[in-house]
Amino acid sequence: MTAPVLELVGVRKSYGPIEILHGVDFALRAGEVHALIGENGAGKSTIMKIIGGFVAPSSGEVRLDGRPAAYRSGAEAEAAGVVVIHQEFNLAPDLTVAENIYLGRELGGLFLDHKAMRAGTQALLDELDSAIRPEARIRDLPVSDRQMVEIAKALSRNARVLIMDEPSAVLTHREVEVLFRQIERLRAQGVALLYTSHRLEEVTHLADRITVLRDGAVVRQALRGELTEDGMATAMVGRDLEDIYPAKRHHAGEVALELRGFSVPPLVKDISFTLKRGEVLGISGLVGSGRTELAEGLVGLRASTGEVRRNGVPVRIASVREAAAQGMAYLTEDRKERGLLLDKTLRENLTLSTLPRFGAPFISAAREEEALTKAIADFDIRAPRRDLRVGNLSGGNQQKLLLAKTMLSDPEVVIIDEPTRGIDVGTKSQIYAFIDALAGEGKSVIVISSDMPEILGLSDRVLVMRQGRIAGELSGERISETDVVRLVMGTSEDAAGDAAQGSVTKGNTAEGSVHV
Amino acid sequence: MSDAVIQSAAGRRLPSLSALGPLLALILLVVLGASLNDNFLSAGNVTNVLARSAFIGMIAVGMTFVITSGGLDLSVGSMAAFIAGVMILGMNALLPAMGVGVPLVLAGMGIALGVGLLAGLGNGLLVTKARIEPFIVTLGTMGIFRSLVTWLADGGTISLDFGVRQLYRPVYYSGLFGIAWPIIVFAIVAIAGQVAMRHTRFGRYCEAIGSNDKVALYSAVNVERIRLLTYVLLGLLVGLATIMYVPRLGSASGSTGMLWELEAIAAVIIGGTALKGGYGRVWGTVVGVLILSLIDNILILADLVSPYLNGTIQGVIIVFAVVLQRGKSSSA
């Protein structure tokens, strides 16, 4: 076994009083692909930030060639040969490939030596066996080519350690194959690679060594072939549900909403499901699997096709107003950019979507204040002053206000996207109790979440989305984290079917995904 | 619970110092003017200042809504000239058929409002349906309107028929209870604007859209329609301002309404409306218009500084107002 190029020794990281990495050890070796896997929030991105020099560990150290390496910036790490390729590429879209590759270290003196930079870029791209032209503008390149440019840029920095943060997430199947060939080429050249992906079959295919992370700690390390995809999923999960979730006791009533062959181009295709009164339907899936697009299509924020029935009657919904008229409301995942006006007061935010109810032609400020008083009491919104700008509220109180705002229209069908993102545990359980109460009142609730325990703890039924389609549906007592993770990751059909023992309905066909 | 720290619902805040800034500046200007020239507070001078403010004032009230909802309209000065030209040509053309009389003047007013509405609608549709930046759209229409009026006037002046002019004159020069018509109309527009901004859905939606149009869209606000309405409203108000302006000179030319757009935008900004949108203050705009006219007036009445430096002083005040605004938002 060769000596590690880069090593993490007892790395811990705290933000304020909260420790999110609890002493992580692992090593990257030359000519080896090391996969780092774990659920959202397990600490993968923090580790990558530490390795890339963007964040300093609270204790422990990063060693490069056996010597402590404390970079103060990403640039210093890069100079030492440690290069990170981020999910969002760091490329200037209006510059050419060559200009991007030499950005910040242009060749030439007073005048740029375009010719030399083009030649240098061409040499790099040839080495990668890529047909991209150095004169092409990044803007005009497909995503896979941009990925390739990032790799070329990393190579031009003489990267010895290359960190790839979910490089396949944005690529098509064919593009992933190209990417894999490049990764194998780099491995053969002796580069140490760290690779993260939610797609476990890629990990099986690529990784020489696997580290599984859970809740900020390494729970499993394995060599190639030692861990099956099932084993990885189990290792990533393995967590008891906390009792912050209300007991499920919903008595589902009549069908309130039914979708048949519902599509939101270009991502979401052929979705069919039913939603009953008094039911909480969880929608799980990776970021980018089309969950939010589906919800936004349903409430008229995006153009959609297919059949939607409300209480059995076909409806067409082309705007949020029309959705509201059908008793449907959507609570966005992006409360700061799409949910609330941060520079306005609580009152103005609360009533924005239901303003016609507060008097015409003149708005009754007294009735607005009344509604705010009620919302503050009902949703336990804690604001030091009523006339505070919403941007100054804590995330939890913002979310409660957003809930209050959404509920003011008294919807029958509520779609809540990431109900507790960035919110402390105390507020979380309040919001869960609230969602439970909604279902208890006979409303239909859809909860979209990346938080696995949340999906499991709240949902009567779970739909799993993958790449814009329903990958499967789980219901009743049979909803288990392992099953959901399998569907989310898209591991083999047999394994999932065996484990779930028939409670999984494979939804690759429209017929298969509808069941009551 | 936090009941104890939540103040009573009825508790209304006093305007902050930065909100009162323009008002204080206006009072200072009045005091300064009165001390420099005895004639300053005479009925004649006050009427003169207010009546001249009225045109820009009405336009600036409309501009407040456009800017509050995150838009901009550079075309209003040219639009006023174009409306004046079309209105006068229309009245002259209708004269043989209708004869000199009130119906002819009313027809002219109808033409002005109609053209204003269409012009505003054009700007608004280009911004909302074609999704072109308001700056670009109105920079384009600014040139178009200006060139059209010059073309209609064949490079010279379009003059209203002398007989009609005599009939129409009182709309600018006469008034009610000694108050000139332009001042009365401006006051009505300003009060209605203030009420609309503060107490109607339209005003609230304008602020919401300017503050964050995505949030407005997600909150069931018809963002495109409200945006379109702000430009239509502004077009109508430009038409109204032109109706009050035409009887003053009885003519229109390629230089009518020159730089009105900048004065109107300046008045809005001085009044405390955020240029990036999200917060509008109509009474502030009125104060801003008065500040700009008073500076002009004082420089002419008093012999302290050359009136040619009017633009310099106005410019300093505009920059100063924006600096004040920035100080406010960064401390919030």
Side-chain angles (χ1 to χ4, degrees), chain A residues 143-144 147-148 167-182 195 199 201-202 205-206 466-467 489-490:
Chain A
V143 174
S144 55
Q147 183 97 55
M148 213 55 78
S168 63
V170 290
L171 301 183
T172 64
H173 194 66
R174 185 179 297 276
E175 290 168 343
V176 169
E177 282 175 15
V178 177
L179 174 72
F180 282 5
R181 280 206 298 281
Q182 303 310 329
Y195 185 92
R199 301 183 184 170
E201 75 271 17
E202 291 179 8
H205 180 79
L206 273 181
R466 190 171 66 239
Q467 290 162 16
M489 301 298 172

Side-chain angles (χ1 to χ4, degrees), chain A residues 367-388:
Chain A
R367 271 156 70 190
E368 283 189 284
E369 290 291 349
E370 213 172 282
L372 179 58
T373 303
K374 188 170 183 309
I376 286 175
D378 288 356
F379 292 84
D380 189 26
I381 299 166
R382 298 179 191 186
R385 288 204 330 265
R386 286 176 76 105
D387 57 357
L388 200 67

Side-chain angles (χ1 to χ4, degrees), chain B residues 40-63:
Chain B
F40 180 74
L41 287 176
S42 70
N45 189 53
V46 170
T47 297
N48 181 33
V49 169
L50 289 178
R52 282 160 160 270
S53 307
F55 316 123
I56 302 285
M58 288 178 232
I59 295 171
V61 168
M63 187 71 79

Side-chain angles (χ1 to χ4, degrees), chain A residues 296 301 320-321 330 332 336-341 343-344 347-348 351-353 355-356 359-363 368-369 376 380-384 386-387 389 405, chain B residues 1-3 5-9 13 195-196 198-201 204-205 207-209 211-212 214-223 276-279 328 332:
Chain A
E296 293 189 347
L301 283 161
V320 181
R321 279 178 309 287
Y330 169 63
T332 172
K336 287 180 192 292
E337 279 303 315
R338 281 148 211 251
L340 297 171
L341 299 170
D343 56 357
K344 297 285 173 198
R347 173 173 60 95
E348 287 161 297
T351 60
L352 184 59
S353 45
L355 214 45
F362 302 116
I363 303 167
E368 283 189 284
E369 290 291 349
I376 286 175
D380 189 26
I381 299 166
R382 298 179 191 186
R386 286 176 76 105
D387 57 357
R389 292 180 194 211
K405 171 185 167 184
Chain B
M1 250 306 282
S2 46
D3 281 357
V5 282
I6 292 178
Q7 70 185 47
S8 73
R13 274 181 307 167
V195 170
R198 276 293 146 264
H199 301 291
T200 69
R201 288 210 293 278
R204 183 72 66 83
Y205 287 162
E207 289 200 336
I209 291 167
S211 177
N212 184 334
K214 282 212 186 77
V215 173
L217 185 70
Y218 277 64
S219 303
V221 176
N222 197 335
V223 173
K276 65 174 171 49
Y279 183 77
K328 184 179 67 180

Side-chain angles (χ1 to χ4, degrees), chain A residues 413-492:
Chain A
V413 175
V414 195
I415 307 168
I416 309 181
D417 201 347
E418 299 289 0
T420 61
R421 178 179 280 171
I423 284 175
D424 63 281
V425 168
T427 308
K428 266 189 183 179
S429 66
Q430 280 185 323
I431 287 176
Y432 295 152
F434 180 75
I435 290 173
D436 185 57
L438 279 183
E441 290 166 19
K443 298 188 187 300
S444 311
V445 188
I446 296 178
V447 173
I448 299 173
S449 177
S450 300
D451 186 336
M452 193 63 72
E454 184 168 291
I455 283 285
L456 300 176
L458 287 174
S459 313
D460 299 309
R461 266 191 310 147
V462 177
L463 287 178
V464 178
M465 288 188 70
R466 190 171 66 239
Q467 290 162 16
R469 291 174 184 273
I470 292 180
E473 175 177 329
L474 302 156
S475 56
E477 304 288 307
R478 290 232 155 96
I479 305 174
S480 84
E481 189 160 4
T482 319
D483 294 337
V484 177
V485 169
R486 279 202 191 91
L487 287 171
V488 166
M489 301 298 172
T491 50
S492 72

